[in-house]
Amino acid sequence: EDFFRRAVEIDGAFAEARMRLGHVLGLLGRHEDAASQLQRVVSGPGAPILLYGASMFLGNEERALGHRDKARESFERAAVLYPRAQSPYLALSQLARESGDRPAALRALQQVLTIPAGQSARDDPWWSYYEGQGRDAEPLFSAVRGLLLAEEPR
């Protein structure tokens, strides 16, 4: 939490750190704080993969707070961003089942069954969340190498 919080204090536009801070706060049971951080991410600009993760985490936090409509909206936003991802539909099904809406739960599960089989067809960033922090590593390392090589020796 401390490192992510420090990162967003240094750069308030660092959406990746803010999303991960929201996730950690949720894991710590601080759902209001988590939802606040995640709402800032989904309200701003960002790469679809980042907005997807933030939407999924925000849905979980809204669900924990008892805000079922907001949770559903968050999971639906994630499904729009990645329509072939199973995770938003599974979350929507669980949410509907918890509220006793069996038909809605089954409809959401039916969406999962219409997604083509095979890993390449199931485009779901949820499965690579823990690897996601390195997705921009190569361009960043290249930039640092370029700066180091361009610097004149002292």
Side-chain angles (χ1 to χ4, degrees):
E1 174 190 356
D2 292 338
F3 290 124
F4 289 131
R5 191 170 300 283
R6 181 76 178 121
V8 297
E9 286 171 0
I10 292 170
D11 181 358
F14 192 179
E16 177 97 24
R18 189 173 301 281
M19 176 190 68
R20 291 177 184 277
L21 173 60
H23 179 213
V24 168
L25 291 170
L27 292 173
L28 294 172
R30 294 167 40 203
H31 305 296
E32 290 279 351
D33 293 340
S36 175
Q37 295 293 335
L38 294 163
Q39 185 59 50
R40 289 181 65 180
V41 176
V42 301
S43 299
I49 193 168
L50 180 66
L51 297 174
Y52 174 86
S55 294
M56 291 296 293
F57 288 130
L58 180 58
N60 287 334
E61 297 310 317
E62 295 292 5
R63 182 174 151 252
L65 292 167
H67 305 154
R68 295 198 177 284
D69 289 341
K70 288 181 179 180
R72 189 183 70 257
E73 290 170 11
S74 291
F75 295 137
E76 287 173 347
R77 181 182 317 108
V80 167
L81 289 165
Y82 284 86
R84 294 184 312 183
Q86 317 94 306
S87 300
Y89 300 114
L90 294 172
L92 286 165
S93 179
Q94 180 182 18
L95 190 65
R97 187 183 68 74
E98 288 172 352
S99 62
D101 189 348
R102 182 177 162 80
L106 292 173
R107 279 193 305 276
L109 284 179
Q110 185 61 38
Q111 290 294 323
V112 174
L113 298 175
T114 64
I115 298 170
Q119 188 61 31
S120 63
R122 293 179 181 262
D123 184 22
D124 194 339
W126 198 245
W127 297 110
S128 60
Y129 170 76
Y130 290 103
E131 300 160 3
Q133 69 275 11
R135 71 179 167 273
D136 296 327
E138 188 51 43
L140 293 172
F141 280 125
S142 292
V144 169
R145 278 192 292 275
L147 289 172
L148 292 173
L149 294 174
E151 191 171 298
E152 293 182 26
R154 295 176 193 208

